[in-house]
Amino acid sequence: MRTIVAGNWKMHKDRIEAADLIAAVIAGADAWSPSVDVVVAPPFPFLAEAVERARGTRLVVAAQNCHEAAHGAYTGEVSVAMLSSIGVGACIVGHSERRQYFGETDAAVGRKIAALLSANIMPIYCCGEVLDEREQGRHFEVVARQMDEAFRELDVSAIARTVIAYEPVWAIGTGRTATPDQAQEIHAFIRGQLVGRIGDAGREVPLLYGGSCKPDNAGGLFGRSDINGGLIGGAALDATQFTALITIAGEVMN
Ligand code: PGA
């Protein structure tokens, strides 16, 4: 099983800051465990430069979103062919902020996943419940429904090539993280859903945890059997913290 530590920069950094952060992350690459894949997702304007800087290293550069169509009159959108043409290797889809502020639906996310895979770009599919749903004990049902809708039109090999990030919305950017037990419980549930859908291939799909994951709580999370890494927001904006997370992933997962 691959382990993945992915940084989602969201709408942060200017060009110089982005270049500095990429350089600082790459500077630690000699110490990365061979079993950990490291991904960063800068904002669109900095992707091409990030890819150039990452060339010849193990760092994979990801986008934070894409459009499902190959091209067309979609002002402000970016196609997978555009991402592929500059060497982007992965793309986050279905992040809760995209769902909440930009109306992204699971059906659209499913089409984005298909488009990404056709361009050989690794999709990182985000799912997770909001606080009310967690408090009502509906988190399993919510995540199962999200996955059903997103994966409905995808075949077994497409789902097998998708990375899943479970991100409880109440933990994103709040400093309130899921406990390792809470995260493992729902990751095991997601694993079960995957195996039910695609058989044994579902055991090989990396399941990332996201939501206020920091160096001081990552050891407990990454150490659990169905947690195969993290999707990191705030702590990915700081090279020292991000590098610490990569180190922890390498230590606890070997
Ligand atoms: P956070 O963000 O680590 O700042 O909570 C995680 C995410 O949104 O992917």
Side-chain angles (χ1 to χ4, degrees), residues 87-172:
V88 165
C91 182
I92 299 167
V93 289
H95 191 279
S96 66
E97 289 149 16
R98 302 257 359 133
R99 295 172 186 264
Q100 183 181 351
Y101 303 127
F102 305 101
E104 192 155 309
T105 63
D106 278 295
V109 169
R111 295 190 291 272
K112 292 182 185 200
I113 292 174
L116 286 164
L117 290 172
S118 73
N120 261 324
I121 297 175
M122 178 178 83
I124 302 175
Y125 165 71
C126 304
C127 57
E129 79 286 354
V130 300
L131 185 58
D132 272 0
E133 293 163 337
R134 166 66 64 166
E135 285 174 343
Q136 293 162 17
R138 293 176 47 225
H139 41 293
F140 298 110
E141 163 203 331
V142 167
V143 168
R145 191 197 63 231
Q146 289 172 332
M147 289 170 62
D148 266 354
E149 286 174 16
F151 295 166
R152 183 168 294 147
E153 305 290 330
L154 300 176
D155 63 18
V156 171
S157 83
I159 297 169
R161 291 161 67 204
T162 299
V163 173
I164 298 182
Y166 166 68
E167 299 205 301
V169 179
W170 47 271
I172 295 177

Side-chain angles (χ1 to χ4, degrees), residues 35-47:
S35 62
V36 179
D37 292 336
V38 182
V39 179
V40 291
F44 282 130
F46 313 134
L47 285 176

Side-chain angles (χ1 to χ4, degrees), residues 8 10 95 97 167 171-174 210-214 231-235:
N8 173 12
K10 307 190 181 182
H95 191 279
E97 289 149 16
E167 299 205 301
I172 295 177
T174 57
S212 298
C213 188
K214 313 269 182 226
L231 180 55
I232 317 298

